[in-house]
Amino acid sequence: MGATPLALLGEARPGQPDGHDYVPHVVAWNLTRRCNLECAHCYIAAGPQEQATDELSTDECLRIAGEILEVNPAPLFILSGGEPLLREDLAEIARFATDRGATVVVGTNGTLLTDTRIEELKAAGVTGLAVSIESLHAGYHDRFRRGHGALEATLAGVERLRQHQLDFIVQTTLTKGNQDQLEELVEWSAAQGAVCFNAYFLVATGRGDRLSDLSPGDYEMLLTQLVDLHVRYLGRMMVRAKCAPHFMRLVHQRVPDSPVLNYATRCPCGVQYCRVTPDGKLTACPYMPLPAGDLRHTPFASVWHKAPLFRALRTGTLGGKCGICEYRKLCGGCRARAYAVEKDPMAADPSCAYEPAGDIPVIEIERAVTYGMTARPALRWAAEAEARVQRIPSFVRGVVMQRVEDYARSHGRTEVTLDLLSEVRSAMPVDFSKRKPFFLRDDA
């Protein structure tokens, strides 16, 4: 086992960038360790036995949210837990953020999604929910999540989301116990109208360190299957892998024109992404417990720009085969898994079966605009259209603006107007044009 490099624990080294070129586009926020379930894989070991004793207060949450918005005025906040619906101030925190320009989604186990709570979240500006479903078979799902009747309650919650026309994502953690159910879960998710299916790959942290992980061969097989499903449902529902950046290698090899290749970074942890813990620590991602700073005592901007851990993740050299792999800029391996297994966030990802030759030039994707890139309009934008696009989360705004302008040019238009945005919406695949993406809705 490797050790955490001393550079990550001490002061920043001379000559390092000051961090101001990096933007926290996505902030995951574990608001609580309390949960009505006690899932076998929970990375923060949440459960019914947890108390609210050391949780950030409402005022602390609002202050920290404000500090994040000072660094990025249009981030995506993912409010989760534990079970975030156990916090009575969830809607208040969401409303504070959405009123100031953030996009807010909520991650939940889905069992507590009553009509009242859904309407409350919609009124607070929440644009979607991520619901965890490990299996469509109650025996497995309820056992894995340690809650009798959990699947039935979650499926009822999904149906309520459909009735209230609130977008949702289905999330599944793949293990040896449910890996053969992947296609069934994706097919069901699409039939229910999910906008995305996220397949998570276990990082051995929290209670998850008790579970035996999939082998590198299992990863390769499942990621290959996910690429096939990604292609099959493209334009209807996005299918992606999470905590398995080698998905990008397989997409590049098999679907080089896929929109997921618009991501210009390797594992985004600490680069475009970070996590706030229930007690106010800032980490690179939910699956890396190593704190970069304490937001109870240090402003967000100071930790984000100056923390040695973040500097290393942004500019450090990857170790082992990740460091010599031709896909190191497109993939780079999961930094949280490297830390979980090797205690070194820059070590090689032990879940990857690919063996690089070591003498092939690094692969880089040529994209005029990538996710996270600052939007630089080339056409005129009417004031109303510009105001509409400013509501898009910062990490996708540049890509959306480029696609809108490409559409405008192809139709002989020299100015982007609200009418043109409506045309773009109607030109989308039928499922999405009916859904009306939030950034093109008439009421956005």
Side-chain angles (χ1 to χ4, degrees):
M1 303 284 278
T4 303
L6 293 178
L8 301 184
L9 304 178
E11 293 300 316
R13 290 167 291 178
Q16 284 187 305
D18 64 7
H20 285 74
D21 290 336
Y22 298 92
V23 177
H25 291 295
V26 181
V27 179
W29 198 326
N30 296 123
L31 289 170
T32 182
R33 283 190 172 84
R34 290 174 287 150
C35 191
N36 58 321
L37 301 177
E38 195 173 9
C39 304
H41 68 313
C42 183
Y43 58 87
I44 61 170
Q49 77 286 350
E50 296 294 329
Q51 303 296 319
T53 309
D54 200 33
E55 288 178 4
L56 294 170
S57 68
T58 303
D59 287 345
E60 286 178 310
C61 288
L62 301 186
R63 174 183 60 78
I64 291 170
E67 291 176 357
I68 295 169
L69 286 159
E70 288 177 2
V71 177
N72 178 11
L76 171 64
F77 281 126
I78 304 171
L79 305 182
S80 66
E83 176 47 61
L85 290 169
L86 291 176
R87 281 199 64 140
E88 295 181 0
D89 58 358
L90 175 61
E92 181 180 356
I93 295 168
R95 169 55 68 192
F96 177 91
T98 60
D99 280 350
R100 288 158 178 79
T103 298
V104 176
V105 298
V106 171
T108 173
N109 63 42
T111 61
L112 304 179
L113 285 173
T114 63
D115 291 314
T116 299
R117 292 309 297 274
I118 292 172
E119 284 299 327
E120 182 184 51
L121 292 175
K122 284 185 69 175
V126 171
T127 59
L129 280 86
V131 180
S132 297
I133 298 176
E134 312 306 337
S135 171
L136 296 173
H137 306 280
Y140 180 87
H141 180 94
D142 291 2
R143 183 171 61 254
F144 191 85
R145 293 199 159 257
R146 297 176 184 171
H148 179 70
L151 178 62
E152 181 180 3
T154 298
L155 296 184
V158 169
E159 179 57 31
R160 292 189 187 99
L161 291 173
R162 284 163 43 91
Q163 292 171 0
H164 288 273
Q165 297 184 321
L166 187 57
D167 284 351
F168 64 93
I169 290 170
V170 173
Q171 304 194 141
T172 298
T173 298
L174 294 175
T175 67
K176 292 182 181 297
N178 68 351
Q179 60 180 331
D180 60 342
Q181 300 174 40
L182 174 57
E183 186 167 356
E184 177 187 16
L185 283 159
V186 173
E187 182 179 357
W188 177 86
S189 300
Q192 298 306 304
V195 298
C196 182
F197 178 88
N198 286 334
Y200 277 81
F201 288 79
L202 180 74
V203 176
T205 187
R207 273 197 298 273
D209 66 1
R210 307 173 190 172
L211 300 180
S212 58
D213 200 2
L214 299 163
S215 70
D218 292 331
Y219 271 69
E220 198 76 0
M221 176 191 69
L222 287 168
L223 289 170
T224 300
Q225 187 179 357
L226 277 168
V227 173
D228 292 339
L229 292 167
H230 166 71
V231 173
R232 185 186 308 174
Y233 289 94
L234 197 60
R236 179 182 177 192
M237 178 184 75
M238 183 64 76
V239 176
R240 299 179 298 187
K242 292 290 187 176
C243 304
H246 17 323
F247 177 68
M248 302 293 275
R249 166 176 55 83
L250 290 167
V251 171
H252 178 263
Q253 291 171 346
R254 305 183 62 194
V255 200
D257 59 347
S258 168
V260 304
L261 294 176
N262 279 320
Y263 287 97
T265 180
R266 60 195 192 200
C267 178
C269 300
V271 181
Q272 298 181 342
Y273 179 54
C274 59
R275 182 271 298 256
V276 182
T277 68
D279 59 351
K281 305 297 190 299
L282 190 66
T283 76
C285 86
Y287 306 97
M288 189 185 296
L290 187 64
D294 187 342
L295 300 181
R296 273 190 158 136
H297 307 293
T298 309
F300 175 86
S302 180
V303 181
W304 176 259
H305 293 311
K306 300 177 181 179
L309 172 61
F310 289 166
R311 289 172 181 256
L313 289 167
R314 294 164 187 170
T315 63
T317 301
L318 297 175
K321 68 179 183 180
C322 284
I324 61 170
C325 182
E326 64 269 28
Y327 288 98
R328 59 187 177 273
K329 288 192 175 182
L330 186 62
C331 166
C334 175
R335 300 299 96 220
R337 187 172 294 105
Y339 180 76
V341 176
E342 302 293 345
K343 299 304 178 219
D344 178 357
M346 304 307 291
D349 183 343
S351 68
C352 182
Y354 185 70
E355 292 296 336
D359 56 357
I360 300 175
V362 64
I363 292 172
E364 298 190 66
I365 304 298
E366 294 295 330
R367 294 286 191 270
V369 180
T370 59
Y371 291 122
M373 187 176 290
T374 302
R376 294 182 176 87
L379 299 180
R380 291 194 306 273
W381 283 68
E384 298 86 351
E386 186 175 358
R388 180 75 56 84
V389 83
Q390 291 303 313
R391 298 181 67 90
I392 303 174
S394 60
F395 78 101
V396 296
R397 188 183 301 151
V399 170
V400 170
M401 290 180 71
Q402 183 197 38
R403 290 177 181 173
V404 169
E405 291 193 351
D406 287 346
Y407 178 91
R409 290 190 191 93
S410 69
H411 289 74
R413 309 285 281 276
T414 59
E415 183 180 21
V416 178
T417 64
L418 284 181
D419 287 342
L420 180 67
L421 292 182
S422 295
E423 284 184 36
V424 174
R425 182 183 70 201
S426 64
M428 286 179 169
V430 63
D431 296 274
F432 288 122
S433 65
K434 289 178 180 177
R435 188 184 308 281
K436 294 187 180 180
F438 72 90
F439 58 86
L440 295 179
R441 287 202 309 253
D442 296 330
D443 60 346

